[in-house]
Amino acid sequence: MPSSVWSERHSGAASTRPGDQRSPWQRDRARILHSAAFRRLQAKTQILGIGQNDFYRTRLTHSLEAAQIGTGLVSQLRSKVQGELLDMLPQDALMEALCLAHDIGHPPFGHGGETALNYKMLHAGGFEGNGQTLRIVAKLEPYTQQHGMDLSRRTLLGLLKYPVLQPDLQHEQLMAQNPLNLTPWKPAKAIFAADADILSWILAPLNSADRSLFQSTEHLAASPYLKSRYKSLDASIMELADDIAYGVHDLEDAIVLGNISEAQWMQYSDWSTLPADFQQQMQRIGTALFSNQHHLRKDAIGSLVNLLISSVTLAEVLPQAVEPLIRYNALLADAPQAILHCLKQLVYRCVISRPDIQQSRFRCQNMLMALFDAFSSDPSRLLPANTQQRWQLAADELKTRVICDYISGMTDDYAEHMYRRLYASAV
């Protein structure tokens, strides 16, 4: 399959601006950078709520750091492969575009908000952040009349962390009232059925056998009910960059803010199963992370990122596939992957699962469900004018999706403001 098929846009349009010498990926990166959805990331929760401190990262700074790590991973891979594999690697502009855009579908209040919207959308196709990212870039962001940002096919493929459609999410046990416990309603990580046309267009260059393999799934007994098995090469690099940025830089925030102590680091970080050289590196890094000298901590963070990035390799995850963009994925070596997993678990145990964080999540989830109930009760009166127009023009089965699009696009502060406006009191 010629590479030009992956630079095509859904609209079929080519650049009409005279003298524009940019590659398709540079144009995609520019469209993402200048989008309203990207700007809104500055006021969306990463872990701690916006306004609780002026130091920690937001979704915007996280995405910028992921982009830097993503190009670092690509640089490492370029030094390790040659020939056709070298030619297959994404250009830096493409990787930056993917990392900058990977979180723009996240709703207010992080994964808690995602679960709340999923519950409210169970009867109408569900909600999931990566699925909303595809929806924003391919339909909602007004760069074009019908195709959103109209990004290149390879860029859209790289944004698909889960290249499958949502399962049927209608459940007989749905409660009439909002549940207090949303844990059983975590979203299936998949693309919305309403956007099946976009997914089909993205995967059109794959032959039927490749597409069937690429969209293999595991069915789960409980929420989220479905798990996709594969992602493209570009998506695998982007996801590694996301994981490293989360595991390392959110750890840095937690240490600086006093949310993770040296005692907790010692308690939850067991490096005894690692090879001796990695054990020594992690002991040195751990000592520096809790030093009173800030430059030593910063150097330790850089050393940790380098340790992870420098171990990246290419592996055949679908050796029977014809298309190399789905045959290969980027992976970390075993020991660095174990270190990254441990860091992510440390952040989860010591920060995310803290009662005060979870209490805030509970409050915010209920705010979003209340907003959803309000706008659904009388859309033609309560929705803003431009969203009312979208709602009125939408097919009956998609009207609820328009309401979800509106709420999921809110920043944390705007969601709080809108809740107070509609309900006249704070939660």
Side-chain angles (χ1 to χ4, degrees):
M1 184 64 63
S3 61
S4 61
V5 75
W6 293 110
S7 64
E8 291 175 353
R9 302 181 187 277
H10 201 184
S11 67
S15 175
T16 57
R17 294 188 176 124
D20 190 350
Q21 299 299 312
R22 295 174 298 170
S23 72
W25 329 122
Q26 289 173 316
R27 293 175 64 203
D28 288 350
R29 179 183 58 190
R31 292 181 183 193
I32 292 162
L33 268 172
H34 293 285
S35 68
F38 180 72
R39 290 195 301 277
R40 290 191 185 104
L41 294 178
Q42 67 187 306
K44 290 197 176 188
T45 294
Q46 175 66 6
I47 292 181
L48 298 174
I50 303 300
Q52 293 180 15
N53 192 282
D54 63 358
F55 171 83
Y56 59 81
R57 289 159 168 92
T58 65
R59 289 268 175 199
L60 180 66
T61 58
H62 162 75
S63 298
L64 293 169
E65 288 171 332
Q68 184 269 325
I69 292 170
T71 56
L73 288 165
V74 174
S75 179
Q76 281 290 329
L77 290 171
R78 288 189 187 121
S79 72
K80 297 177 179 180
V81 301
Q82 53 188 350
E84 292 183 357
L85 291 181
L86 183 61
D87 295 336
M88 176 186 64
L89 292 176
Q91 294 180 15
D92 284 355
L94 171 56
M95 186 48 51
E96 288 174 351
L98 297 179
C99 293
L100 292 173
H102 81 281
D103 266 354
I104 63 174
H106 267 286
F109 313 124
H111 288 291
E114 181 183 44
T115 303
L117 286 180
N118 182 58
Y119 178 80
K120 301 305 293 186
M121 289 293 292
L122 285 172
H123 67 291
F127 179 84
E128 192 276 328
N130 189 245
Q132 190 68 14
T133 292
L134 180 65
R135 188 166 172 78
I136 288 169
V137 300
K139 286 189 175 179
L140 301 181
E141 192 72 23
Y143 275 76
T144 62
Q145 187 171 6
Q146 295 180 324
H147 302 289
M149 296 187 198
D150 198 25
L151 303 180
S152 305
R153 194 193 311 258
R154 181 166 175 175
T155 303
L156 294 177
L157 179 70
L159 286 173
L160 291 178
K161 293 171 70 172
Y162 321 108
V164 297
L165 291 177
Q166 288 272 0
D168 183 1
L169 295 173
Q170 296 190 44
H171 297 284
E172 293 179 359
Q173 66 268 40
L174 279 178
M175 292 170 277
Q177 296 182 341
N178 294 332
L180 289 178
N181 181 10
L182 284 172
T183 301
W185 307 109
K186 293 178 181 177
K189 297 183 180 299
I191 304 305
F192 308 135
D195 301 321
D197 57 327
I198 306 170
L199 181 62
S200 293
W201 182 81
I202 295 169
L203 302 183
L206 304 181
N207 65 39
S208 58
D210 276 8
R211 180 166 177 170
S212 179
L213 284 168
F214 186 54
Q215 294 189 285
S216 299
T217 60
E218 299 176 31
H219 292 277
L220 309 176
S223 176
Y225 303 106
L226 183 79
K227 182 180 180 182
S228 61
R229 295 182 176 181
Y230 302 109
K231 56 182 64 68
S232 70
L233 167 66
D234 300 338
S236 72
I237 303 172
M238 175 265 284
E239 191 164 47
L240 270 182
D242 183 23
D243 283 352
I244 293 171
Y246 161 63
V248 177
H249 293 305
D250 289 351
L251 170 70
E252 179 185 13
D253 278 3
I255 292 173
V256 172
L257 295 173
N259 293 326
I260 293 180
S261 66
E262 189 168 10
Q264 287 172 313
W265 170 269
M266 298 295 291
Q267 179 182 357
Y268 293 118
S269 303
D270 180 13
W271 313 120
S272 61
T273 59
L274 300 177
D277 57 334
F278 284 102
Q279 289 187 43
Q280 293 169 3
Q281 287 184 72
M282 291 310 298
Q283 288 168 0
R284 288 196 300 269
I285 287 172
T287 299
L289 283 175
F290 294 93
S291 169
N292 290 326
Q293 300 185 57
H294 296 305
H295 72 279
L296 294 180
R297 181 189 298 125
K298 204 65 184 176
D299 183 67
I301 290 295
S303 296
L304 195 48
V305 172
N306 181 71
L307 182 156
L308 298 170
I309 288 178
S310 60
S311 76
V312 69
T313 59
L314 279 187
E316 277 190 305
V317 292
L318 273 175
Q320 58 272 63
V322 174
E323 172 55 59
L325 286 179
I326 67 168
R327 188 162 73 238
Y328 294 93
N329 271 191
L331 303 173
L332 298 186
D334 290 344
Q337 182 60 52
I339 290 170
L340 179 56
H341 177 74
C342 183
L343 298 177
K344 290 168 64 179
Q345 287 298 303
L346 182 65
V347 172
Y348 180 80
R349 286 171 173 170
C350 299
V351 183
I352 296 174
S353 62
R354 275 174 37 187
D356 60 328
I357 298 294
Q358 289 303 312
Q359 289 161 10
S360 177
R361 173 177 286 194
F362 177 85
R363 169 183 173 273
C364 294
Q365 286 178 320
N366 280 281
M367 274 200 301
L368 281 193
M369 290 195 292
L371 284 176
F372 198 100
D373 290 340
F375 289 119
S376 298
S377 71
D378 198 348
S380 61
R381 183 164 68 103
L382 298 179
L383 288 172
N386 60 338
T387 308
Q388 276 191 40
Q389 185 178 25
R390 283 191 57 229
W391 181 83
Q392 289 165 352
L393 293 174
D396 288 347
E397 66 274 14
L398 295 178
K399 287 185 182 297
T400 308
R401 179 65 63 188
V402 173
I403 295 172
C404 185
D405 289 339
Y406 173 58
I407 296 173
S408 69
M410 294 178 178
T411 63
D412 295 14
D413 286 344
Y414 188 79
E416 293 238 22
H417 170 76
M418 183 59 69
Y419 179 86
R420 289 193 298 270
R421 175 184 289 181
L422 292 174
Y423 289 93
S425 65
V427 175

